[in-house]
Amino acid sequence: MKLIIIAGPPSAGKTAVIKQIVANVKDELRTAFLKIDVVKAYEDIELEHEFGILTKKVYSGDLCPDHAGVMVLGDVVDWAEENRSDLLIVESAGLCLRCSPYLNQGLGIIVLSSISGIHAPEKMGAMVSLADVAVVTKIDLVSQAEREVLIQKIKEVHPGIILLETNALQGTSLQRLYRLIRESPDIDKDHLILKGSPPLGTCTICVGKKEIGWKHHFGVVKKLDCQMAEYLYRGE
Amino acid sequence: MTELTILPGYNRDGQRENYEQIQLRPGETISIVGPTGSGKTAFITDIELMAQGDTSTRRRILINGKVPEDSVRYNPSLKPIAMITQNTKCFADLTVENFLKIHARAREIDDQGIIPGTLELANTFTGEKIAASHRVTTLSGGQTRSLLIADAVLIGAAPVILLDEIENAGIFKQEVMAIIQDSGKIIVFVTHDPVIALNTKKRLIMEHGGVKKVLLRNAQEESAVKKLIEVDKRIGTIREHLRSGNIITAELAI
């Protein structure tokens, strides 16, 4: 079974890209889809309705969605294999920019909108720098020169990335992406690991304490003015 | 680059377009005309993306008679095509100078003189001058268009330039046409302007998402365009007078 993991900020066009992929490969590859989100998601219903593929979603609720993703990914690979899928597509919630959900196998794809701002590629950190492919969407909304400037910015964050530009609603120029997916090798599910490391530890804010100020909290946190030191803070 | 070839696709009814192939060579210009929504912008977008049957029109583009390599299709520094769209808004929150610098880097140009040169050229097309320190997000529609045209000619430096309705932005279109027409490039104009439409030797007529006709300019049209350019220059002079606050005080003779 092949595996692709799609990340990117909300409204970048992740689902539009996925719909184009599914429309293109579904006759050839039996496709399963998982959407990870925090509160609400409709992508699974839409994809099942439109293409009749196997879909599932999971809400992370109070848990960080990327953490939830790491935890359920093992189960979802088993679920997709039990259902004899040839391709598993995982769509991340695309919220926090600290983590990246990509694994050491399969394809990691970042979807970025061409109107997301010129500094977006740098701000997204590991979501861009650990991806295999970047798909830049909404190219019909900006000039060619501006697209080239954005692409240059992405390349400066990740020189080796494979770059594609598309109007995802129409699915223009995605043939190379379909080819990359078809050519990507099957995964070995016993040796799947994250490409990037998740954030270090947690603090009392993570577990739901709402008070503000240092005296109420302890854990691995950072003060406003310190650079790297004083990671460990104990409440008074 | 010696030849750009456009192979037919399908119109909105699914009918194959009515031409064998359209070939363009360096120094040639072509205009694309037709009502709004007839598929003019989609036509040049196909060229810009070097479509290989993977756009909604299913047209295919050949460079020098061959399917372009992936490296050429997807690497901005190797891309032989520069397009100026109708989108006269820039979202990049950068100064004009930084915008041009990053684009020059994307096109792998080391010459730093290209930045002031591009700005100088842009300022020949526009009324209010653009400064290097302006943010691109604050430029007017006409200023942005002028900057992008100058950028396409010098930094894009591509052998093929695609221009989508340059007449719309209140820029000096005669200057733009004069500078780019003798540049030995392939120039494609999408236009509603009869002066631009008749100024090119070839003319594509679009309808319903597809190419309806390919026309070659006839002898009658060649003399007509000379007169039209004169009329257009006079209208341009009147426009500049009005823009600078002058008033009309005598009967207008055209």
Side-chain angles (χ1 to χ4, degrees), chain B residues 103-115:
Chain B
H103 194 208
R105 225 157 53 217
R107 288 267 171 179
E108 293 176 12
I109 300 169
D110 290 330
D111 173 19
Q112 285 304 307
I114 199 143
I115 311 294

Side-chain angles (χ1 to χ4, degrees), chain A residues 115-137:
Chain A
I115 55 170
S116 60
I118 199 69
H119 302 300
E122 289 157 283
K123 290 183 180 183
M124 284 191 236
M127 214 144 83
V128 173
S129 61
L130 293 179
D132 300 301
V133 182
V135 178
V136 177
T137 59

Side-chain angles (χ1 to χ4, degrees), chain B residues 17-41:
Chain B
E17 288 178 300
N18 188 24
Y19 63 89
E20 281 312 305
Q21 55 177 29
I22 295 166
Q23 277 185 334
L24 297 168
R25 293 194 177 80
E28 270 190 84
T29 57
I30 185 167
S31 54
I32 303 175
V33 298
T36 307
S38 58
K40 301 186 294 298
T41 299

Side-chain angles (χ1 to χ4, degrees), chain A residues 115 118 140-149 151-153 155-156 170-173 175-176 179, chain B residues 48-49 52 54 56 70 73-74 81-83 85 87 90-92 94 99 102-103 105-107 148 151:
Chain A
I115 55 170
I118 199 69
D140 52 320
L141 299 182
V142 298
S143 66
Q144 187 195 0
E146 191 168 5
R147 275 160 46 203
E148 289 182 14
V149 166
I151 281 178
Q152 178 66 18
K153 282 280 191 179
K155 279 197 169 160
E156 285 171 7
Q170 293 186 2
T172 50
S173 299
Q175 279 185 349
R176 192 180 185 202
R179 200 164 72 226
Chain B
E48 197 272 324
L49 292 168
Q52 298 302 325
D54 52 357
S56 53
D70 274 0
R73 280 188 84 188
Y74 302 117
I81 295 161
M83 176 161 81
T85 63
N87 295 308
C90 258
F91 296 93
L94 296 170
F99 182 82
I102 299 174
H103 194 208
R105 225 157 53 217
R107 288 267 171 179
L148 292 177
D151 169 281

